[in-house]
Amino acid sequence: MSSGDEPPFEHNDRLLDPGNVCFAAHVLTHCRTIARQRASRLSFVGPRREEEEMQIGFNLPISGPLSPPEILTGIAQQGEALAYDYLTLTDHVVLPNLRVPGYPYSESGEFFSEGPARRHEQLTTAAFIAAKTSRIRLVLAVLVVPHRPAVLAAKMLATLDVLSGGRLVVGIGAGWLQAEFDAVVTPPFAERGAVTDEYLRAFRTLWTEEAPRISGRWVEFDGIVFEPKPVQKPHPPIWVGGESGPALRRAARLGDAWYPIGSNNKHLLDTLPRYRAGVDRLRKLTAEAGRDLASVALTYRVKRYGEAVPDKASDGERRLFSGSTADIVGDLRALRALGVRGVDIDFERPDVAASIAEMRRFQEQVISRL
């Protein structure tokens, strides 16, 4: 981004003018037609049908230099115009005042983006973006469930689904940053897994039952009215993030999809054999939970790709999403053949023009070839 004495998005109107980003009117119309056609036949939940295509999303940077509202709006609207299926929003309330907070998805422990501590609250931002867009789905990537009281969070999520016209996907996780928990969350950090599971059951109860009632260790309510219910029935899809054993068990028992990042250093899923093994574990746990194997869809998150990642992973195999454009197309096709229903990519660059240009390039050179 430009220096601090310049307006945060001085060239906003010029940059976002379709002519200046090489969008002719007929191209935009074509993209939107494709988007409507795909949205009409694709869903995020339920058994996979052979004719379904893979959905592609992108991360909306709600922290750092690309987070001013006019920039956020521009990126979201350009992603929608480019016919991306969904955008994602991350969740941190506060971060510790440390250069290296121990981010588990990079080799260094640092966040990938610049200025990660300067960030908007996730659900407020999702509501703002919902009002600025009309089609693109809003994926929480992920909601740290213990951050917010269960009934309040369920209400906020239901409201988001209603006001967005049923575009919400509730990606969830238990969280990993103890310093943040100590500042934000009432239940202890060590109990975050149990808290997450109980809150999820409370969400479902509130979203689906006319007379919701629950009496648990962390949540208790009875004799309340919870309206309106979410637009999506029985409720917004729940994508369970995480790569560990507990996260896989949570996805198998409670999720509509498994939503891992491939680059977790403790639980790597960064090669095709590693990811296949993860899927096999998920399927085994799903069967043990007494659920139909197809009831838990497969999704995948990509933080870095192409030349930004090494060609070889630590298991000696080629790393997913490394290499050339053709390699990346091949990876997406391979994941689709495994049954993966959605993949989202982080296109964030140092400035908004470069970020949008990369989103456009990826659409033209990669997605168009799937």
Side-chain angles (χ1 to χ4, degrees), residues 2 30 51 58 78 83 88 115 119 125 138 145 151 165 168 171-172 180 226 274 296 302 315 328 349 361 370:
S2 57
H30 178 62
E51 70 271 16
F58 66 93
Q78 286 292 342
T88 70
R119 68 171 56 237
T125 310
L138 313 168
V145 174
V151 177
L168 180 65
I172 65 94
E180 183 176 27
F226 188 94
R274 281 173 167 165
V296 184
V302 180
D315 64 353
I328 293 169
R349 298 293 186 270
R361 184 201 70 82
L370 295 179

Side-chain angles (χ1 to χ4, degrees), residues 93-363:
V93 179
V94 295
L95 292 177
N97 189 19
L98 299 172
R99 183 174 182 274
V100 183
Y103 182 60
Y105 299 104
S106 69
E107 287 81 357
S108 67
E110 296 181 66
F111 286 96
F112 288 118
S113 58
E114 180 186 343
R118 182 182 183 275
R119 68 171 56 237
H120 303 303
E121 193 277 327
Q122 181 192 53
L123 301 186
T124 312
T125 310
F128 173 78
I129 294 300
K132 300 291 186 178
T133 56
S134 60
R135 175 199 61 83
I136 197 163
R137 292 181 70 92
L138 313 168
V139 177
L140 307 180
V142 293
L143 176 81
V144 181
V145 174
H147 275 178
R148 300 161 185 85
V151 177
L152 175 61
K155 185 65 173 181
M156 296 172 76
L157 295 167
T159 301
L160 260 171
D161 197 54
V162 171
L163 296 182
S164 69
R167 290 188 281 144
L168 180 65
V169 176
V170 184
I172 65 94
W176 57 271
L177 187 53
Q178 183 167 357
E180 183 176 27
F181 266 70
D182 292 343
V184 175
V185 177
T186 300
F189 182 72
E191 299 285 352
R192 66 193 185 280
V195 171
T196 295
D197 292 351
E198 190 168 302
Y199 280 23
L200 287 176
R201 293 188 179 98
F203 291 176
R204 280 206 169 100
T205 298
L206 291 162
W207 290 340
T208 61
E209 296 184 12
E210 290 303 313
R213 178 181 181 275
I214 192 169
S215 180
R217 182 180 176 192
W218 306 104
V219 188
E220 186 169 1
F221 52 79
D222 191 8
I224 62 173
V225 176
F226 188 94
E227 296 290 344
K229 305 294 189 191
V231 169
Q232 298 177 86
K233 302 303 178 187
H235 53 72
I238 295 174
W239 291 9
V240 177
E243 304 78 29
S244 66
L248 278 164
R249 288 191 291 274
R250 183 172 298 115
R253 289 184 288 108
L254 302 172
D256 297 309
W258 180 38
Y259 189 36
I261 298 175
S263 57
N264 185 329
N265 292 304
K266 293 182 179 179
H267 307 282
L268 288 167
L269 300 166
D270 57 349
T271 66
L272 211 52
R274 281 173 167 165
Y275 183 70
R276 282 198 190 102
V279 172
D280 289 344
R281 290 194 297 274
L282 174 70
R283 297 307 187 215
K284 181 175 184 292
L285 291 165
T286 304
E288 290 173 357
R291 300 180 67 193
D292 185 335
L293 299 186
S295 65
V296 184
L298 302 177
T299 58
Y300 192 83
R301 299 174 66 189
V302 180
K303 301 302 293 182
R304 288 293 179 267
Y305 59 95
E307 295 180 356
V309 295
D311 292 337
K312 291 287 185 182
S314 58
D315 64 353
E317 298 284 341
R318 184 184 154 273
R319 184 162 169 170
L320 285 168
F321 296 95
S322 65
S324 67
T325 295
D327 291 326
I328 293 169
V329 171
D331 288 336
L332 287 168
R333 288 174 175 167
L335 291 177
R336 183 175 61 189
L338 281 177
V340 173
R341 304 270 294 278
V343 173
D344 50 79
I345 317 287
D346 191 337
F347 295 119
E348 186 174 351
R349 298 293 186 270
D351 62 76
V352 63
S355 299
I356 291 176
E358 177 59 14
M359 291 168 64
R360 185 171 64 250
R361 184 201 70 82
F362 200 90
Q363 173 67 259

Side-chain angles (χ1 to χ4, degrees), residues 23-138:
F23 287 133
H26 71 278
V27 174
L28 279 173
T29 301
H30 178 62
C31 285
R32 288 168 178 151
T33 300
I34 292 172
R36 285 193 295 270
Q37 291 171 343
R38 294 182 72 186
S40 69
R41 69 177 185 269
L42 296 181
S43 66
F44 283 93
V45 294
R48 184 175 186 271
R49 297 184 295 273
E50 289 303 318
E51 70 271 16
E52 289 183 349
E53 297 179 18
M54 175 184 283
Q55 296 199 359
I56 305 294
F58 66 93
N59 180 60
L60 186 67
I62 66 173
S63 64
L66 300 186
S67 63
E70 64 272 25
I71 298 180
L72 278 179
T73 299
I75 294 173
Q77 291 175 345
Q78 286 292 342
E80 186 168 70
L82 279 164
Y84 281 92
D85 297 291
Y86 63 96
L87 60 80
T88 70
L89 305 98
T90 57
D91 186 21
H92 285 286
V93 179
V94 295
L95 292 177
N97 189 19
L98 299 172
R99 183 174 182 274
V100 183
Y103 182 60
Y105 299 104
S106 69
E107 287 81 357
S108 67
E110 296 181 66
F111 286 96
F112 288 118
S113 58
E114 180 186 343
R118 182 182 183 275
R119 68 171 56 237
H120 303 303
E121 193 277 327
Q122 181 192 53
L123 301 186
T124 312
T125 310
F128 173 78
I129 294 300
K132 300 291 186 178
T133 56
S134 60
R135 175 199 61 83
I136 197 163
R137 292 181 70 92
L138 313 168

